[in-house]
Amino acid sequence: MWTKHHKKRKLGRFVMPLITVAFLSYFGYHSMHGDYGLRATETFDRQSAERQTRLAALVTQRETLEREVALMSDGSLERDMLDEKARFALNMSRADEIVIFH
């Protein structure tokens, strides 16, 4: 009966640890710097906060416009509001008035 005896190589015992280190390094790097990594998450959170403040400003502006439209609707036409909008659009005023635009 013949048996083959292999000599143990010194480099053979480093193959599995090297593969493991390469694997962990690759995924470790991409968990920090990848498209969905920790740095990208910080950027997403910052953009979300900026957009929330912009949304709040736009909601406030929309509510203001809706109140003005409600004052100018057919059922409750306010003469003061209509007069103010007409003067602003035509850029006209009476001789005894002081106009301050803001």
Side-chain angles (χ1 to χ4, degrees), residues 16-89:
M16 196 61 176
L18 286 176
I19 291 172
T20 304
V21 167
F23 183 80
L24 291 175
S25 298
Y26 175 80
F27 284 106
Y29 175 80
H30 286 288
S31 70
M32 290 295 292
H33 303 286
D35 291 341
Y36 299 103
L38 294 176
R39 291 191 179 172
T41 303
E42 291 173 359
T43 305
F44 292 149
D45 290 341
R46 189 176 347 94
Q47 286 178 350
S48 176
E50 291 171 359
R51 290 178 180 165
Q52 287 294 333
T53 56
R54 177 75 176 134
L55 176 65
L58 289 174
V59 165
T60 304
Q61 182 181 4
R62 180 180 177 188
E63 289 172 353
T64 303
L65 290 174
E66 285 177 350
R67 276 194 305 270
E68 289 179 3
V69 168
L71 290 174
M72 292 186 345
S73 66
D74 292 337
S76 63
L77 185 61
E78 294 284 332
R79 291 188 56 167
D80 293 336
M81 179 61 72
L82 184 60
D83 188 44
E84 176 186 339
K85 293 294 180 185
R87 288 173 190 235
F88 185 77

